[in-house]
């Protein structure tokens, strides 16, 4: 059975070559040449770093949004999606003190995260991993796959999200861009 738990392993080998790795805010992580996604949480030998996450249930998405997303969102692993981004994110202590409805209001009513993101589907395939409750250094590991011709659009999406009120609550973010090599 495919595990809900995934390790993103930066190191000397892997099917994804790391094209760039930079801290957007807060501390960065060490440079590595390649990335491999592995099922499970077991420690990988020779890793430069290993970030762990778990695919979880929806928190903020409402029914109409869930259905609209399901109708357009592509699967991971498309042959044409030779580019990817791994963006680990941590949110502030103030964020985690808020109630569920307050966080939903920031994510969508104030920031339009889902509405903005929806415009980039089906070009971008995505998967969200939760890491906070695993005691990891980041709260989320976000993963995106797209064809090279959609890289500029992906950058525009990031610019819009990073300018939104939700990102006032982001205190650590690393932007890792990848190209598929096998
Ligand atoms: C490609 C278009 C995108 C769509 C359609 C999209 C959609 C969503 C949805 C529906 C959720 C809520 C999941 C839930 O109900 O728990 C979510 C959460 C999240 N997304 Fe996006 N998103 C997109 C792009 C991005 C990008 C580019 C980033 C990172 C820079 C990002 C970072 C996050 C994070 C960190 C969360 C978790 C927020 C939290 O639980 O506090 N998303 N996204």
């Amino acid at each position: 059975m495919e595990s809900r738990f995934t390790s993103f392993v930066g190191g000397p080998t892997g099917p994804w070559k790391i094209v760039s790795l930079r801290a957007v805010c807060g501390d960065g992580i060490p440079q590595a040449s390649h990335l491999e996604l592995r099922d499970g949480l077991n420690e990988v030998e020779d890793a430069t770093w290993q970030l762990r996450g778990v695919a979880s249930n929806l928190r903020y998405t409402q029914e109409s949004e869930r259905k609209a997303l399901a109708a357009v969102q592509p699967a991971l692993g498309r042959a044409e999606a030779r580019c990817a981004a791994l963006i680990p994110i941590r949110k502030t202590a103030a964020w985690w003190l808020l109630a569920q409805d307050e966080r939903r209001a920031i994510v969508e009513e104030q920031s339009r995260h889902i509405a903005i993101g929806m415009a980039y589907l089906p070009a971008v395939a995505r998967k969200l991993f939760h890491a906070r409750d695993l005691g990891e250094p980041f709260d989320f590991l976000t993963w995106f796959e797209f064809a090279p011709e959609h890289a500029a659009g992906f950058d525009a999406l990031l610019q819009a999200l990073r300018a939104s009120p939700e990102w006032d609550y982001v205190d650590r973010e690393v932007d890792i861009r990848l190209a598929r090599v096998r």
Side-chain angles (χ1 to χ4, degrees):
M1 193 182 89
E2 197 179 294
S3 172
R4 283 207 301 138
F5 296 95
T6 299
S7 287
F8 291 82
V9 183
T13 59
W16 295 96
K17 180 179 154 47
I18 298 182
V19 177
S20 68
L21 185 163
R22 70 176 184 101
V24 179
C25 78
D27 288 342
I29 61 173
Q31 298 291 333
S33 64
H34 290 77
L35 177 85
E36 184 177 0
L37 277 66
R38 291 231 193 163
D39 273 358
L41 303 178
N42 290 347
E43 192 167 326
V44 175
E45 258 181 66
D46 297 331
T48 306
W49 41 259
Q50 181 169 357
L51 298 172
R52 298 168 172 89
V54 55
S56 187
N57 55 279
L58 297 173
R59 284 2 183 220
Y60 309 115
T61 311
Q62 296 181 346
E63 184 189 11
S64 59
E65 295 159 343
R66 179 179 63 76
K67 288 181 174 161
L69 285 163
V72 284
Q73 63 195 6
L76 296 178
R78 293 169 298 170
E80 69 273 21
R82 313 279 312 163
C83 299
L86 170 62
I87 306 183
I89 287 177
R90 187 182 71 193
K91 285 185 170 174
T92 61
W95 173 264
W96 294 108
L97 285 173
L98 296 172
Q100 176 88 6
D101 57 342
E102 294 173 296
R103 286 184 263 120
R104 155 72 199 189
I106 294 165
V107 166
E108 197 55 23
E109 281 67 34
Q110 295 177 30
S111 303
R112 316 301 302 161
H113 182 130
I114 300 170
I116 291 170
M118 191 90 80
Y120 294 86
L121 272 42
V124 179
R126 72 192 169 92
K127 189 161 179 180
L128 175 65
F129 297 85
H130 286 256
R132 176 178 164 84
D133 291 343
L134 299 177
E136 284 285 297
F138 293 92
D139 294 335
F140 309 99
L141 305 175
T142 64
W143 174 257
F144 307 93
E145 295 177 1
F146 44 89
E149 62 265 33
H150 293 124
F154 184 73
D155 284 336
L157 164 62
L158 277 178
Q159 209 176 3
L161 290 178
R162 287 177 180 149
S164 73
E166 183 187 353
W167 252 253
D168 292 346
Y169 294 91
V170 173
D171 68 0
R172 189 175 180 197
E173 179 175 3
V174 179
D175 189 325
I176 306 166
R177 300 302 176 93
L178 308 121
R180 194 174 246 297
V181 285
R182 58 178 163 81

